[in-house]
Amino acid sequence: MIVTLASWVYSEYVNNSYFQSYVNSLSPILVPVVSVGFGTASAAVATILYFTMRNIRQREGLRVDDNSRIRVLTKRPAKKPQISTSRSERTVAGGLAGVPRPRVPISPSLSPKRGAAQDDRDVEDESD
């Protein structure tokens, strides 16, 4: 509909000299009015979008905070292991206070093999 009306106005402007003189007489008034109207409309749209997006983000932030509060309230507190040694004894022993010592991995030569008994039986069967 808009394209049809715009094409009709354009064809009327091109073919009608009276309409051309009318539009040319309005241009000093029409151009500033249209420019100011377009600028005002753009600023209004930008402002509305800004406040709408800010409200949406605030609502999402409140939902995340509410969910984290609910989760915190429903979590059970972790039991702390009871340590019989005091901090002063640990620091004297050479370790840092509050830092557990790293575990030393057991080398494969010291650990028993899985299925070692079965391997011994296979060796005995081969010798017979």
Side-chain angles (χ1 to χ4, degrees):
M1 189 69 163
I2 294 172
V3 173
T4 305
L5 289 175
S7 63
W8 173 73
V9 169
Y10 177 74
S11 67
E12 190 68 28
Y13 177 79
V14 170
N15 295 323
N16 191 343
S17 61
Y18 296 110
F19 189 63
Q20 286 177 1
S21 64
Y22 174 71
V23 170
N24 290 337
S25 68
L26 286 180
S27 67
I29 298 169
L30 189 62
V31 170
V33 169
V34 170
S35 298
V36 169
F38 182 74
T40 305
S42 299
V45 168
T47 304
I48 290 170
L49 287 175
Y50 171 75
F51 284 115
T52 304
M53 294 302 292
R54 191 177 78 173
N55 289 338
I56 289 172
R57 286 183 182 163
Q58 286 177 349
R59 288 179 189 162
E60 287 178 357
L62 290 176
R63 288 181 190 161
V64 170
D65 289 343
D66 291 342
N67 290 340
S68 64
R69 288 180 190 159
I70 291 170
R71 288 182 188 151
V72 169
L73 293 176
T74 58
K75 284 185 179 178
R76 294 181 184 170
K79 293 183 180 178
K80 295 182 181 179
Q82 295 180 356
I83 301 173
S84 61
T85 59
S86 66
R87 286 188 176 191
S88 60
E89 291 175 0
R90 280 192 221 154
T91 54
V92 171
L96 296 173
V99 178
R101 292 186 183 184
R103 294 187 177 187
V104 179
I106 300 173
S107 65
S109 62
L110 298 176
S111 64
K113 289 185 177 180
R114 291 185 183 169
Q118 185 178 3
D119 290 341
D120 291 340
R121 288 184 206 146
D122 292 339
V123 172
E124 291 175 7
D125 291 338
E126 291 176 5
S127 62
D128 291 332

